[in-house]
Amino acid sequence: MKSEPKVRASLPEGLSVDSLRDMYYQMVLTRLADDRAFALNRQGKIPFAATCQGHEAAQVGAAFALKRGVDWVVPYYRDTALAMAYGVTPREQLMCLFARKDDVFSSGRQFPNHYSVPHCNIASISSIIAAHVTHGVGMALAFKMRKQPVVTLITFGEGSTSEGEWHEAMNFAGIHKVPAVFMCENNEFAISVPQKLQMAIANVADRAVGYGIPGIICDGTDPVATYLTIHEAVERARRGEGPTLVEAKVYRAMSHTSDDNQLTYRTAEEVEALKARDPIPRFEAWLKDRGLIDDATISALKKKAQAAVDEATDWAEAQPPPTEADLYTHVYGSGPLS
Amino acid sequence: MPQLGETVTEGTVGRWLKKVGDTVAKYEPLLEVETDKVASEIPSPFAGTLTKIVAEEGTTVPVGSAVCEISETVTDASAPRQEQPATTSMPPTPSAPERVAPVDRSTAATTAADGVRYSPAVRKLAREHRLDLRNLSGTGRGGRLTAKDVLQHVGSGGQVATAPPAQQRQPAAAVAAPEDGDTSMRVTQMRKTIAEHMVLSKTTIPHAWSLVEADVTGLVRWREREKEAFKAREGVNLTFLPIVVVCVCGALREFPTVNATWAGDRIIVRKHINVGIAVDIEEGLVVPVVRDADQLSLSGLARKIVDLVEKARARKLTMEDMSDGTITVDNTGALGSIASYPIISPPQAAIITMEAIVKRPWVINDAIAIRSIMNVCLSLDHRVLDGSVASRFLQSVKQRLETYSAQS
Amino acid sequence: MAVKTVLESVRDAMHSEMVRDPRVFIMGEDVGPRGNVFLITKGFLEEFGRERVIDTPLAEASIVGVAVGAAIAGMRPIAEIQFADFIYPAYNQIVGEAAKIRYRSAGGNTCPLVIRTPYGGGVRGALSHSVSVEALFYHVPGLKICAPSTPVDAQGLLVSAIRDEDPVLFLEHKRTYRLIKGEVPEGDFSVPIGKADVARVGTDLSVITYGLMRHYAVEAAEKLATEGVNAEVIDLRSIRPMDRQTILDSVTKTRRALIVHEDQKFGGIGAEVSAIIAEEALFELDAPIRRVCGPDVPSMGYAKEYEEAFMPSSERIGAAMRELAAY
């Protein structure tokens, strides 16, 4: 029963066999890039790393639900898979880890994963939690004013929803029915603080009613489920029917960052139990069940991803760092300093 | 005049309650004052004798200005006053110290004989004009010497302004004067002209300075190879000076704004390149000019320079020989200097020096070699040029010097 | 040339830029049918429609934050904070976000945004409608700050601010709105950001100021001229970038510097101006640098006496000028 292949007609709407395999590849690629980031940190080669392990399915599902080259993403710092699935290359990713001069996100100025990739329609973010949510709303407002069929996907963790600015952004978006999709990647922890100390409700999606917009929950460890949910919300926004708050239930496999030790606030057993939710083996099984991928292809894709990450690491490490002179660029458009 | 109210700036004397010669007790009403806000009796801040009324009844004076003078009474024998003549350095004082009401403690401090303080601007002006400030009197608060006082003094040909009593107490010997064993030298007209020219330059031109090191090993070898043939062919020695002038002219054609003059509302970029050559003679420095130096060949330059130097030594330079320079080249290295900060000759915008050629360990391709190095220094008028042009100009001079080689 | 108030000049600058450039739009509290609380945007809603004249919720962080997003997406938003006293909730968006977007993305994103806000006292605005906020922002690289005082500068600088590629905090002294009138050229013109205005030429001392205080300083200078003191008055107009050269040129000429601002003294704009002069023109100074500023209390009070005691007056400025000239 398990090995019986499904017919093409049962493929999720809008996803081909190739795109499903590509989703799988992006998840694997991100996982390897994340592992590399931690390894480089532990080698002392980079000062800081934050991974998205446990979030890959939600992020890749969301990226594939957007119109690439048209829609915009305003991510947060845990969105490695979203960024890579939306066009960031392994080399670009490794350059930000090494803080190289030619790092396209920030020229080595920001922490890793603080994306600004204009050529991929990914906007600049800071580390200030939820500060970017109003920006996403403003971008969506701009697209609406210009009558462009462009949707903005804005992502954040459940901790962000405690911020006043998050509330202000949602409120504005609801009033003006801007073409935005809000995706909360709820991994139950804001660094060490569990969800129950962030909010007195079980689901972030419940907050949507306060803004007069739909709030929908999806399994964020299932890329197809997330794809379908986000895709529906994106197309709703594109039709001018306003924003949607999607809560993708995910988990955080690792500590908050390379500077954190999660065993100070959750047990080893809890951490071990999370492994059962790993989206990559689950999606692999899902694809195989439907005859959409075989072991040889899986092996080839993993090899290809590993080669890409290895090549990108060596290449990025060899790139020049910024110089003191680079400190003074891009302060003002009209000139360096006051 | 005391300040009666926050926004009050002046007061009108209503009525004097005491007349000159009266004794007044501390806090005893002295006069009545009317301001925009209040009319008030002013109690005396001192006990003593009213010696002078400065502001007559009906006059309006600014807050803080003197309205009268009171000769303070020494009343308490058990507490001798500090103001009693005690030190010999103080000139004789009137029987009792005079004070002006109301007293301003900070003013009192600045007029004290134990140390006059000058503002940075006054100190700077004093340095520039070589003034002994002790001879000058001030019109600032409490007789403070202001920058305007100094400038007025300089403008009036250095005459000492009428000093108020406090300043006249200064000993006359304070002027710079030779002491035993010192000798005085007459200031020659030439010395005076140079002095004036240099002061004019340093007070009006904001000088900026830069230095490059040129590896002239190739040039030294080239000259070594050429000099005998040159002497035979041209009749004059082949020195480094005309070669430097050639390089400077080439660089000036590349950066014409260095060959310029600040003219207040505009900058005049000179068409002709007239290079002044500093020549040291006994009386001082003279700077004859090689006109259109960029039009001359190396041999032409060498001959012209020799000609001008000979005229200078023979005291035969004409005004025409000395005028219309647009830039100056100074061979400071001839006397062994390796770095100079030359003063620009107004109205030029730049002066360049060639320093002594010295052999130095020099890094070439990460190996150390013994090379002949010449420093080239540039002072420029920062009003005309910024460092970027100056640096590129100097680099150009350097590169030109470094293109010479034994093979060229 | 037409004679206008500062308020009319602000209105005309926004109006002409909205006509000229469809990317320009206004968002803020009560900017719609009410036409802003000072009636600056009166008629804008009817002319430009609710898409370009947006009445926002009472939420300053999102007024600026949404405007930042729109700017990143290529619009030219003018975000209005109703009173400068209300700007604090938006501080993160201005300082932490807008000012850093160009820098943090190495030029990948830019934030051409204007944040307009009325500030200052003298209108019985009490504790929370009177503050000056410039010192809280001028420390921040990446942000530009204008504080014009005259109709021509208000209009010309606002046009420049709207056309600028970077975020500009545009401070309008509310006392000048209707009090100050002046001639303004017809047609398209602008005043460059970062250039001071020599409001009065003089030789005896330099008064460096901005905003409402420019007018008080000029008034005081005219009075002093009758006493033989000839003061120069520099109106900074832009607080950042600051026109160091005009300050230094003036102080080099007069050798005496008095800095006047309504904002509190400690750490105010005058502190930086003093430092510039001390660092670069110490040896031109013939007297200590002096400041006439608001006192270091949290704000001016509602009572007339509090307000008068807080705000430098033409008389207080004049007294300080007289004292400095006589030093």
Side-chain angles (χ1 to χ4, degrees), chain B residues 69-92:
Chain B
E69 290 175 9
I70 296 171
S71 176
E72 217 173 338
T73 316
V74 182
T75 51
D76 191 350
S78 67
R81 303 287 303 212
Q82 292 299 312
E83 287 90 343
Q84 290 294 335
T87 58
T88 52
S89 66
M90 286 284 287

Coordinates of all heavy atoms in Angstrom, one line a residue, chain B residues 69-92:
Chain B
E69 N 31.9 105.1 42.4 CA 33.1 104.5 43.0 C 33.1 104.8 44.5 O 32.7 105.8 44.9 CB 34.4 105.1 42.4 CG 34.6 104.6 40.9 CD 35.8 105.3 40.2 OE1 36.5 106.0 40.9 OE2 35.9 105.1 39.0
I70 N 33.4 103.7 45.2 CA 33.4 103.9 46.7 C 34.8 103.5 47.2 O 35.4 102.5 46.8 CB 32.4 102.9 47.3 CG1 31.0 103.3 46.9 CG2 32.5 102.9 48.8 CD1 29.9 102.3 47.3
S71 N 35.4 104.3 48.0 CA 36.6 104.0 48.6 C 36.3 103.2 49.9 O 35.7 103.7 50.8 CB 37.4 105.3 48.9 OG 38.6 105.0 49.6
E72 N 36.8 102.0 49.9 CA 36.4 101.1 50.9 C 37.2 101.5 52.2 O 38.3 101.8 52.2 CB 36.8 99.7 50.6 CG 35.8 98.7 51.0 CD 36.1 97.3 50.5 OE1 36.8 97.2 49.4 OE2 35.6 96.3 51.1
T73 N 36.5 101.4 53.3 CA 37.0 101.7 54.6 C 37.6 100.5 55.3 O 37.0 99.4 55.3 CB 36.0 102.3 55.6 OG1 35.2 103.2 54.8 CG2 36.6 103.0 56.7
V74 N 38.8 100.6 55.8 CA 39.4 99.5 56.6 C 38.9 99.7 58.0 O 39.3 100.7 58.7 CB 40.9 99.5 56.5 CG1 41.4 98.3 57.3 CG2 41.4 99.4 55.0
T75 N 38.0 98.9 58.4 CA 37.3 99.2 59.7 C 37.8 98.3 60.8 O 37.8 98.7 62.0 CB 35.8 99.0 59.5 OG1 35.6 97.7 59.0 CG2 35.2 100.1 58.7
D76 N 38.2 97.1 60.5 CA 38.4 96.2 61.6 C 39.9 95.9 61.8 O 40.5 95.2 61.0 CB 37.7 94.8 61.3 CG 37.7 93.9 62.5 OD1 38.4 94.2 63.5 OD2 37.0 92.9 62.4
A77 N 40.5 96.4 62.8 CA 41.9 96.3 63.0 C 42.3 94.9 63.3 O 43.5 94.5 63.0 CB 42.3 97.2 64.1
S78 N 41.4 94.1 63.8 CA 41.8 92.7 64.2 C 41.9 91.9 62.9 O 42.4 90.8 63.0 CB 40.7 92.1 65.1 OG 39.5 92.0 64.5
A79 N 41.4 92.3 61.8 CA 41.4 91.5 60.6 C 42.0 92.4 59.5 O 41.3 93.0 58.7 CB 40.0 91.1 60.1
P80 N 43.4 92.4 59.4 CA 44.0 93.3 58.4 C 43.6 92.9 57.0 O 43.6 91.7 56.7 CB 45.5 93.1 58.6 CG 45.6 92.1 59.7 CD 44.3 91.6 60.2
R81 N 43.4 93.9 56.1 CA 42.9 93.6 54.8 C 44.1 93.1 53.9 O 45.2 93.6 54.0 CB 42.4 94.9 54.2 CG 41.2 95.5 55.0 CD 40.0 94.7 54.9 NE 39.6 94.7 53.5 CZ 38.3 94.6 53.1 NH1 37.3 94.7 54.0 NH2 38.0 94.5 51.8
Q82 N 43.8 92.2 53.1 CA 44.8 91.7 52.1 C 45.2 92.8 51.1 O 46.3 92.8 50.6 CB 44.2 90.5 51.3 CG 44.0 89.3 52.1 CD 45.2 88.7 52.7 OE1 46.2 88.6 52.0 NE2 45.2 88.5 54.0
E83 N 44.3 93.8 50.9 CA 44.6 94.8 49.9 C 45.7 95.8 50.4 O 46.1 96.6 49.6 CB 43.4 95.5 49.5 CG 42.4 94.7 48.6 CD 41.4 93.9 49.5 OE1 41.7 93.8 50.7 OE2 40.4 93.5 48.9
Q84 N 46.0 95.7 51.7 CA 47.0 96.7 52.2 C 48.3 96.4 51.4 O 48.7 95.3 51.1 CB 47.3 96.4 53.7 CG 46.2 96.7 54.6 CD 46.0 98.2 54.7 OE1 46.9 99.0 54.4 NE2 44.8 98.7 55.0
P85 N 49.0 97.6 51.1 CA 50.2 97.4 50.3 C 51.2 96.4 51.0 O 51.5 96.7 52.2 CB 50.8 98.8 50.2 CG 49.7 99.7 50.5 CD 48.7 99.0 51.3
A86 N 51.4 95.4 50.4 CA 52.2 94.4 51.1 C 53.4 93.9 50.3 O 54.5 93.6 50.8 CB 51.4 93.1 51.5
T87 N 53.2 93.9 49.0 CA 54.3 93.4 48.1 C 54.9 94.6 47.4 O 54.3 95.5 47.0 CB 53.8 92.4 47.1 OG1 52.8 93.1 46.3 CG2 53.2 91.2 47.7
T88 N 56.2 94.5 47.2 CA 56.9 95.6 46.6 C 56.7 95.7 45.1 O 56.8 96.7 44.5 CB 58.4 95.5 46.8 OG1 58.8 94.1 46.4 CG2 58.8 95.7 48.3
S89 N 56.3 94.6 44.5 CA 56.1 94.6 43.0 C 54.9 95.4 42.7 O 54.7 95.8 41.6 CB 55.9 93.2 42.5 OG 54.7 92.6 43.0
M90 N 54.0 95.6 43.6 CA 52.8 96.4 43.3 C 53.2 97.9 43.4 O 53.9 98.4 44.2 CB 51.8 96.2 44.4 CG 51.1 94.9 44.3 SD 49.9 94.8 43.0 CE 48.6 95.8 43.7
P91 N 52.7 98.6 42.4 CA 53.0 100.1 42.4 C 52.2 100.7 43.6 O 51.3 100.1 44.1 CB 52.4 100.6 41.1 CG 51.4 99.5 40.7 CD 51.9 98.2 41.3
P92 N 52.6 101.9 44.0 CA 51.9 102.5 45.1 C 50.4 102.6 44.8 O 50.0 103.0 43.7 CB 52.6 103.9 45.2 CG 53.8 103.8 44.4 CD 53.6 102.7 43.4

